Amino acid sequence: MLFRSIAVSAGRLHTCALLADSTVRCWGYNGNGQLGDNTVIQRSTSVPVSGLSTVTTISAGYAHTCAVLGNGTGRCWGNNGNGQLGDGTITQRLTPVAVSGLASAVGITAAIQGSYTCALLSNGTASCWGLNSNNQLGDGTVTQRLTPVAVSGLTTAVQLSAGDLHTCARLSDNSMKCWGYNGNGQLGDGTQTQRSTATAVLGMSTSSSIGAGFRFTCSMLTDGTAKCWGSNGNGQLGNETTIQSINPVSVV
């Protein structure tokens, strides 16, 4: 039985829960050590993440998991083939390792695909690391990074969400910015142009929560409605069509 949890995060084939005592337990596929229990054994029930305490937030990605600790530092574990653990190596880790140079973090998001991670800092800026093939790190380059680099043009962020090859931020004024791959309009800037730095989402001024998915993005608004944009082949935008949209459309 799972101990009392206060948050949960689902990755591709694994899930992790933050417990009331600030520890973490995970379960599911573990071929890359993403459960953090110092094994690669698949688990059908939750197991504690080794050596992790004082956790304030967690995020499960494609094949890695990350956490922020109470002192603002970060820990990650699992697949590290593109440096998504942020420890300066590409070595897979079966237990949590410190994210190099990360301090004052208040949030973290491990990409659902694309092998990268981003952290929200207490001053409203953000840092990202890992694969950068489609500018998903937002530093103006396509250079893979093994340690955190600053996202360009972002100073008032209050929430981050990493999708597959794009990342979005909600700002303190309830507007949004996104960056990275944009082939399906998932950045919401009215184009399909890839962006190497944070770019404003058109017409978004009342965002209250965001989620970046596989080539699409959605936002809850302050009035309780929602808007989505990007790929829509399976109706994931919720607007009664299967037509992709390069601008935010209302969920009906």
Side-chain angles (χ1 to χ4, degrees), residues 171-185:
L171 308 185
S172 59
D173 64 358
N174 295 326
S175 65
M176 283 182 62
K177 289 187 175 183
C178 298
W179 57 96
Y181 183 68
N182 197 26
N184 300 95

Side-chain angles (χ1 to χ4, degrees), residues 31-139:
N32 298 101
Q34 54 264 60
L35 303 190
D37 67 341
N38 201 30
T39 78
V40 288
I41 300 170
Q42 182 168 299
R43 306 291 187 175
S44 61
T45 58
S46 68
V47 293
V49 176
S50 179
L52 205 59
S53 61
T54 71
V55 176
T56 60
T57 187
I58 57 171
S59 181
Y62 184 83
H64 75 292
T65 312
C66 291
V68 172
L69 306 187
N71 62 3
T73 62
R75 300 290 187 274
C76 294
W77 57 97
N79 188 19
N80 197 26
N82 295 100
Q84 58 264 49
L85 303 189
D87 67 342
T89 78
I90 54 171
T91 303
Q92 180 170 287
R93 306 292 186 176
L94 306 185
T95 58
V97 292
V99 178
S100 179
L102 187 66
S104 70
V106 293
I108 202 159
T109 178
I112 61 170
Q113 191 161 308
S115 302
Y116 71 102
T117 310
C118 293
L120 175 65
L121 307 185
S122 60
N123 64 359
T125 64
S127 292
C128 298
W129 56 95
L131 184 68
N132 199 20
S133 56
N134 293 91
N135 300 122
Q136 59 264 46
L137 303 189
D139 68 339

Side-chain angles (χ1 to χ4, degrees), residues 128-200:
C128 298
W129 56 95
L131 184 68
N132 199 20
S133 56
N134 293 91
N135 300 122
Q136 59 264 46
L137 303 189
D139 68 339
T141 78
V142 289
T143 304
Q144 178 170 292
R145 307 291 186 174
L146 305 185
T147 57
V149 292
V151 176
S152 298
L154 202 62
T155 59
T156 61
V158 295
Q159 184 186 359
L160 295 178
S161 183
D164 62 327
L165 294 170
H166 77 292
T167 314
C168 292
R170 181 168 62 90
L171 308 185
S172 59
D173 64 358
N174 295 326
S175 65
M176 283 182 62
K177 289 187 175 183
C178 298
W179 57 96
Y181 183 68
N182 197 26
N184 300 95
Q186 56 264 57
L187 302 190
D189 66 344
T191 78
Q192 291 175 273
T193 303
Q194 185 165 295
R195 304 294 185 178
S196 62
T197 58
T199 303

Side-chain angles (χ1 to χ4, degrees), residues 15-34:
T15 309
C16 293
L18 173 60
L19 306 188
D21 65 359
S22 300
T23 63
V24 176
R25 296 178 74 94
C26 298
W27 59 96
Y29 183 70
N30 197 26
N32 298 101
Q34 54 264 60

